[in-house]
Amino acid sequence: MNIMLDASQIQRRIVELAAEIEADYPPDEEIHLVGVLKGGFVFMADLVRAMSARVTLDFIAVSSYQQSTRSSGEVRLLKDLDSRLEGRHVIIVEDIVDTGLTLTYLQDILKARAPRSLRTACLLSKPSRRLVDVKVEYIGFTIEDKFVIGYGLDFAEKYRNLPHLGVMDEA
Ligand code: IMP
Ligand code: MG
């Protein structure tokens, strides 16, 4: 496994992203982050700790990959939110946008719940893989078409706990 981004590079970028997000909303207004399980949990944990006390959070779980490195194109909702989104500033927090199918699905179902605003923050983006044009307001790093693991991202449910982002060896 080769290291693509080490833990300190990721941390530095997240601090920048957090500042960028905070500056985009009026200081007295709450920001509700919706983390996408499972891959987004590490990014979510670091992002909220780089933000101020006006942040609230919840998690949603979807499944798009069936133990392979190829997307099936099918998205299933596995766990819904605990809280209502109506009238709130909502930001989807996702690990990576690849084909864009997962995010398109999430944006559609969350938009239907009438949030005051809806934006998306992704740690990683692989634009060369996009199948649908999806809007992502905050992107940590744009990367080439490599299957990455670590920092929340898995291969067959493993390696989510790596503190850095690595590239799988070619089989
Ligand atoms: P999309 O629907 O194709 O955009 O896929 C998004 C989801 O696929 C992400 O939330 C990840 O869970 C997973 N995924 C996409 N690319 C990678 C990767 O390089 N490593 C691990 N998981 C990935
Ligand atoms: Mg994911």
Side-chain angles (χ1 to χ4, degrees), residues 36-40 94-96 102:
V36 185
L37 296 173
K38 293 183 276 244
E94 172 66 304
D95 51 3
I96 185 166
T102 307

Side-chain angles (χ1 to χ4, degrees), residues 6 52 63 74 87 97-98 107 111-112 135 140 142 155 157:
D6 67 31
S52 65
S63 141
E74 203 179 289
V97 49
D98 187 36
Q107 290 179 354
K111 214 176 290 164
K135 193 164 176 195
T142 298
F155 174 68
E157 293 302 325

Side-chain angles (χ1 to χ4, degrees), residues 21 25 31-34 89-93 118-121 138:
I21 292 171
Y25 296 82
I31 305 173
H32 188 59
L33 302 190
V34 169
H89 289 301
V90 175
I91 304 179
I92 300 171
V93 178
L118 181 67
R119 291 186 177 179
T120 303
Y138 306 102

Side-chain angles (χ1 to χ4, degrees), residues 64-72 147 154-157:
S64 47
Y65 272 44
Q66 259 87 51
Q67 304 222 332
S68 86
T69 57
R70 291 254 174 268
S71 176
S72 58
F147 194 82
D154 73 306
F155 174 68
E157 293 302 325

